[in-house]
Amino acid sequence: MNFDDYQAKANEFRLQQYTPEAAVMGLLAECGEVAAVFQKLIRGDYPPDIAMTKLAKELGDILWHISAVCDDNNWKLKDIAETNIDKLTS
C-alpha cells in the first residue's frame, strides 16, 4: 500500500466530529502509549514478543493520526514523507 492509498483509506474511519484539535491531541496520546509499552516491557509486564506486537499496533495508530493531521491541512502524507527524506539526506 502506498501513502496516497493509506491516507484515503484511513480517512474513511474518521468520525465527522473528530476535529483537527482532536487529531493533534490523539497523536500526542498515541505517542504516550508507545512510551507506555516500553515502560511495561522494562518493568517486566510484557515479554518482548507481546511488547513488539503492541508497539506495532500503537505505531499504526500514530500513522492514522498523522494522516488525519495531514488531511486537516490539505497535505499529502506522501509529500510529508518525501520532505522528511530530503531533510534527512541534507
Side-chain angles (χ1 to χ4, degrees), residues 15-84:
L15 300 176
Q16 188 173 11
Q17 65 269 27
Y18 203 68
T19 65
E21 296 81 10
V24 170
M25 297 308 289
L27 174 59
L28 295 173
E30 293 299 339
C31 289
E33 290 188 29
V34 166
V37 169
F38 279 100
Q39 176 191 27
K40 290 175 183 176
L41 174 64
I42 291 166
R43 197 170 57 195
D45 295 356
Y46 299 142
D49 59 327
I50 298 296
M52 293 304 102
T53 298
K54 290 181 178 293
L55 177 60
K57 289 180 181 180
E58 296 304 337
L59 291 175
D61 291 342
I62 288 172
L63 183 59
W64 186 92
H65 281 85
I66 291 171
S67 179
V69 171
C70 287
D71 285 337
D72 291 336
N73 289 284
N74 296 313
W75 299 329
K76 290 183 152 273
L77 186 56
K78 171 183 158 279
D79 294 339
I80 298 300
E82 288 173 353
T83 299
N84 181 251

